[in-house]
Amino acid sequence: MNVSTWVWVVTLVALVVVLAVDLLIVGRRPHEPSMREAGGWVAFYVALALAFGVVVWVVWGGQPAAEFYTGWLTEYSLSVDNLFVFVIIMARFAVPRQFQQKVLLIGIVLALVMRGAFIAAGAALISQFSWVFYIFGAFLVYTAITLIKQGENDEEDFKENILIRWAKRALPISSSFDSGKMTVVTETGRRLFTPMLIVMIAIGTTDLIFALDSIPAIFGITKEPYLVFTANVFALMGLRQLYFLLGGLLERLVYLNIGLAFVLAFIGVKLFLEALHTNALGFINGGEGVSWAPEIPIWLSLLVILGTLGIATVASLVKSSRDRKKELIKA
């Protein structure tokens, strides 16, 4: 797949334009979007991703398009899991609902910047050292095990890191969010940081941790940097509106962690098998590829990911419905 410089430029310009429009909307009128507004934007961004996949199909062929769709779906599902932690952060710092859009949008911009850096670093590593797939695969399997042990997300899962604790201790912080800006000037003329700064630090550091999981996962689907980047972009676009659209539904997706753990473990095994197939490490099979190591086709990856997420979602909603009925009977 040959992606020219001008295609990269057009893609980046389009991304900046979309983010600028989002910033203008949020900056002009901070508010909590209605279900209709949020649903409309989510549908728009999903349609945009599907249309982009068609463009990839027409320009570069079916294989790259399948890789984009599989990567986008994987990153999108991981992004939904990220929303659990965003909900916890918003609750922990008592962010007013009308300012949560701004927090999410800035968090998404930070995530794009950090993921862009990780993608560039990952692509450089892969081009130089094929054995890095062993590390990526092992890391994804480890992450999957951690997800299963962790269970459902709750407020106790969020621990203030050293940067947040330092900011609270070292910076002059006001007690009010005021108008949602980072700083506020008191009646005495003293400039203070608002709690919005602490929330941004929490979101930013959380994005960094999420990038460590998502980037190896997407490289397990495709090695093409352009597809890796665009899959991440389309997964993050609309995440702000999805946060408000799902609302209480997030709490009902009780088996999402298990589904995501299976997906990450599957991609981790896929990476490990691919590393064996293209092995260049001298202490493994004399530095030759392992012939029995199968290559998992992209169509099978897409089928496994779709099936796993579908089963996890349906099972979650069924369990939540049963639990709710039990509570009503007890009441």
Side-chain angles (χ1 to χ4, degrees):
M1 180 176 173
N2 184 28
V3 182
S4 61
T5 302
W6 74 266
V7 172
W8 273 103
V9 171
V10 170
T11 303
L12 292 173
V13 169
L15 169 62
V16 170
V17 169
V18 172
L19 289 175
V21 171
D22 244 354
L23 280 169
L24 286 173
I25 292 173
V26 175
R28 184 186 61 192
R29 187 170 62 92
H31 67 290
E32 178 183 352
S34 64
M35 293 290 285
R36 182 178 179 180
E37 179 185 345
W41 277 106
V42 169
F44 169 75
Y45 282 122
V46 169
L48 205 60
L50 295 175
F52 180 81
V54 173
V55 173
V56 172
W57 192 309
V58 171
V59 177
W60 290 289
Q63 177 71 14
E67 291 177 3
F68 168 76
Y69 283 130
T70 307
W72 168 66
L73 182 64
T74 301
E75 294 299 301
Y76 202 68
S77 59
L78 288 171
S79 297
V80 171
D81 190 50
N82 298 356
L83 292 181
F84 282 104
V85 182
F86 289 164
V87 168
I88 293 169
I89 291 173
M90 299 292 190
R92 172 68 66 87
F93 296 103
V95 181
R97 295 287 289 182
Q98 68 268 29
F99 299 142
Q100 289 184 8
Q101 281 208 81
K102 181 178 180 180
V103 171
L104 290 168
L105 182 56
I106 294 177
I108 288 168
V109 173
L110 290 173
L112 283 170
V113 171
M114 282 186 275
R115 292 189 187 197
F118 275 105
I119 289 167
L125 279 173
I126 290 169
S127 65
Q128 295 294 322
F129 311 105
S130 61
W131 51 260
V132 77
F133 276 171
Y134 286 114
I135 299 174
F136 282 179
F139 179 74
L140 289 179
V141 172
Y142 168 77
T143 304
I145 295 170
T146 304
L147 269 176
I148 292 175
K149 287 182 176 179
Q150 176 185 324
E152 295 178 36
N153 292 284
D154 54 47
E155 196 163 345
E156 294 180 359
D157 290 334
F158 177 74
K159 302 289 190 302
E160 293 186 359
N161 58 53
I162 188 171
L163 189 58
I164 297 174
R165 294 196 299 271
W166 173 84
K168 281 185 168 182
R169 194 169 56 247
L171 301 176
I173 307 292
S174 69
S175 58
S176 170
F177 280 88
D178 195 58
S179 60
K181 295 181 179 179
M182 293 289 186
T183 62
V184 63
V185 178
T186 65
E187 294 179 356
T188 60
R190 187 186 180 197
R191 183 173 292 275
L192 301 175
F193 291 102
T194 67
M196 187 67 80
L197 175 66
I198 305 299
V199 175
M200 292 304 176
I201 293 173
I203 292 287
T205 50
T206 300
D207 282 336
L208 179 61
I209 295 170
F210 288 151
L212 293 174
D213 295 340
S214 64
I215 298 307
I218 186 66
F219 272 116
I221 303 298
T222 177
K223 302 183 195 68
E224 173 55 53
Y226 183 74
L227 295 180
V228 172
F229 179 72
T230 51
N232 271 274
V233 167
F234 282 105
L236 290 170
M237 282 183 172
L239 192 61
R240 170 174 63 85
Q241 292 88 351
L242 187 64
Y243 171 89
F244 293 99
L245 179 64
L246 293 180
L249 182 61
L250 283 172
E251 298 176 1
R252 299 175 61 190
L253 299 177
V254 293
Y255 293 133
L256 181 62
N257 272 4
I258 296 175
L260 290 176
F262 183 85
V263 168
L264 290 177
F266 170 78
I267 297 174
V269 171
K270 180 178 183 294
L271 277 172
F272 202 82
L273 290 172
E274 186 165 344
L276 284 173
H277 192 77
T278 59
N279 175 62
L281 294 179
F283 59 87
I284 298 178
N285 198 36
E288 300 293 329
V290 179
S291 58
W292 58 260
E295 289 188 89
I296 299 176
I298 194 65
W299 66 264
L300 181 58
S301 298
L302 181 58
L303 189 63
V304 168
I305 292 168
L306 274 172
T308 301
L309 295 176
I311 291 170
T313 300
V314 172
S316 295
L317 296 178
V318 169
K319 183 180 185 302
S320 298
S321 178
R322 287 177 179 174
D323 290 345
R324 188 169 296 179
K325 287 178 181 178
K326 289 179 181 177
E327 290 177 4
L328 290 173
I329 291 172
K330 289 179 180 179

